[in-house]
């Protein structure tokens, strides 16, 4: 693998992460608006969701 | 509230324990995306509508200017407080309204005293003349049935005279004038308050009683200056004797400034709500003031939503705090404030003090009451 494709891979991954997190936060915000979640539930789901996303999309070599 | 770094840190620590193959890269990815997610959530303002954790309720504690240069850009600031404390204080406010609505003979004044968060309490404090104590006690017992009430007997004593060097404004020729300096109302003196706003207009302000027999529209407000004589800065536009406030339209190129000279920081960014005051009382956070005569003083909040009938007419929405030595003739019209890192939050005006044994505080109309009844804000 060349350096260019490595860099492209990282950029693609960062952009994908940002997109997924944006959608996740928007979804949680709408859900919290509809259900009046406590603060702790909102932040637990926010952080937990991000951790789960990183976990399932991580390469084995990571 | 929630610290942005710690969840990711904790998560990383757990992961380290679970897997020896955990890489720095994966940690950075979690930390980076979590930081982005939390930043996005805060940008969306989720804290504004998220319910507080179990046992807590969010209350609006202050109205703060979003845009510091735009007085009308007021936004509410909330804080999560213990639910049992909130329930007790709300009930005390409601009961106190009932007491205030009936004119009980012999009652000189009353106030709500929020307790600390640990105790989750609030008490009603009422002031009576010694000869009326039994009668008022019976009336309150019928009305409040078992609620915690403190009854204090008070006697009238004449006030003493002021002395000392006053705080004067600098040699201003025009432009912005901050509060906290001496102003002149005809043949009397008072303290200039910070800028007061209503319907897009900015006003100078001070105590109405500083005009003696009563202010009338068009009365001048002057500013004694250090080494530069006294100059007129405005004319009375609105008179509000019930809250002891005058709104003065600026003249002669002067303009009211949202600041208090001698306070740190000096810029005013908004005002405290009724529950904002209760929150400060519960946490034992002191208020401050800069009076033209007594200068800078600090004191505890003693009573909120107080009704005071000792001056003849009953005054509502009063704030009681500090001690009677914190205020003297010439300090009326000064503002009580709570300093934050961003700027000052105004609690209310300081217009009078106790001059009778058994009690020791100063009082004046609270900012929230002035907003509710007359539409002004700081």
């Amino acid at each position: 693998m060349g350096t260019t494709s490595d860099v492209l891979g990282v950029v693609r991954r960062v952009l994908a992460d940002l997109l997924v997190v944006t959608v996740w936060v928007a979804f949680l915000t709408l859900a919290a608006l509809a259900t009046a979640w406590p603060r702790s539930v909102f932040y637990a789901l926010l952080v937990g969701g991000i951790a789960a996303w990183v976990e399932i999309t991580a390469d084995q070599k990571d | 509230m929630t610290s942005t770094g710690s969840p990711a840190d904790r998560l990383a620590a757990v992961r380290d324990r679970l897997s020896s193959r955990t890489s720095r890269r994966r940690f950075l990815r979690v930390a980076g995306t979590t930081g982005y997610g939390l930043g996005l959530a805060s940008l969306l303002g989720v804290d504004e509508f998220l319910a507080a954790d179990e046992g807590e309720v969010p209350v609006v504690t202050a109205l703060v200017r979003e845009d510091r240069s735009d007085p009308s850009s007021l936004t509410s600031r909330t804080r999560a407080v213990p639910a049992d404390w909130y329930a007790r204080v709300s009930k005390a406010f409601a009961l106190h309204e009932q007491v205030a609505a009936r004119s009980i003979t012999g009652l000189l004044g009353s106030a709500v005293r929020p307790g600390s968060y640990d105790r989750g309490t609030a008490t009603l404090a009422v002031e009576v003349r010694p000869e009326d104590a039994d009668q008022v006690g019976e009336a309150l017992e019928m009305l409040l049935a078992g609620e915690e009430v403190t009854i204090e007997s008070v006697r009238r004593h004449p006030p003493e005279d002021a002395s000392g060097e006053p705080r004067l404004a600098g040699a201003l020729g025009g432009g912005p004038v901050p509060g906290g300096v001496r102003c002149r109302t005809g043949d009397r003196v008072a303290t200039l308050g910070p800028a007061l706003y209503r319907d897009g207009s900015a006003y100078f302000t001070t105590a109405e009683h500083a005009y003696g027999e009563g202010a009338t529209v068009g009365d001048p407000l002057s500013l004694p200056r250090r080494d530069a004589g006294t100059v007129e800065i405005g004319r009375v536009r609105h008179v509000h004797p019930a809250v002891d406030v005058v709104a003065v339209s600026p003249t002669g190129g002067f303009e009211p400034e949202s600041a208090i000279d001698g306070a740190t920081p000096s810029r005013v960014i908004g005002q405290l709500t009724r529950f904002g005051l209760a929150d400060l009382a519960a946490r034992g956070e002191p208020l401050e003031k800069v009076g033209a005569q007594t200068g800078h003083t600090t004191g505890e909040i003693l009573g909120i939503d107080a009704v005071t009938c000792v001056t003849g007419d009953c005054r509502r929405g009063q704030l009681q705090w500090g001690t009677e030595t914190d205020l003297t003739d010439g300090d009326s019209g000064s503002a009580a404030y709570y300093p934050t890192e961003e700027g000052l939050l105004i609690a209310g005006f300081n217009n009078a003090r106790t001059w009778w044994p058994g009690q020791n505080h100063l009082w004046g109309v609270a900012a929230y009451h002035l907003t509710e009844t007359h539409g002004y804000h700081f």
Side-chain angles (χ1 to χ4, degrees), chain A residues 17 22 39-40 55 57 60, chain B residues 15 21 29 36 47 51 53:
Chain A
D17 279 357
T22 304
R39 183 166 282 118
S40 51
E55 195 60 41
T57 57
Q60 282 313 302
Chain B
R15 284 165 50 97
R21 292 169 62 82
R29 217 179 133 206
Y36 169 74
D47 273 332
D53 280 331

Side-chain angles (χ1 to χ4, degrees), chain B residues 26-189:
Chain B
R26 221 188 272 187
F27 164 73
L28 283 177
R29 217 179 133 206
V30 172
T33 44
T34 302
Y36 169 74
L38 292 174
L40 192 63
S42 124
L43 205 68
L44 288 170
V46 287
D47 273 332
E48 293 297 316
F49 61 78
L50 279 178
D53 280 331
E54 209 173 315
E56 291 196 326
V57 283
V59 293
V60 176
T61 54
L63 300 175
V64 176
R65 273 176 234 160
E66 190 83 338
D67 176 358
R68 298 286 183 261
S69 57
D70 178 8
S72 63
S73 66
L74 289 181
T75 53
S76 6
R77 188 161 288 184
T78 56
R79 186 183 165 90
V81 298
D84 55 346
W85 175 89
Y86 176 77
R88 287 289 309 163
V89 175
S90 299
K91 192 173 175 199
F93 280 140
L95 286 171
H96 186 238
E97 302 244 318
Q98 286 183 32
V99 173
R102 320 226 166 158
S103 0
I104 298 173
T105 318
L107 195 68
L108 293 176
S110 53
V112 172
R113 288 192 184 153
S116 67
Y117 285 143
D118 329 333
R119 292 183 59 214
T121 56
T123 54
L124 290 190
V126 299
E127 301 142 27
V128 295
R129 287 190 203 93
E131 58 270 29
D132 297 325
D134 291 344
Q135 189 192 338
V136 172
E138 278 169 33
L140 287 175
E141 212 161 291
M142 299 226 311
L143 194 61
L144 303 175
E147 288 298 321
E148 198 179 334
V149 179
T150 315
I151 296 182
E152 290 161 355
S153 297
V154 300
R155 282 187 303 266
R156 289 160 185 264
H157 267 243
E160 290 160 24
D161 286 336
S163 60
E165 281 298 305
R167 291 173 50 80
L168 298 183
L172 302 165
V177 184
V181 295
R182 168 162 283 187
C183 61
R184 185 164 276 283
T185 52
D187 56 349
R188 296 181 181 221
V189 290

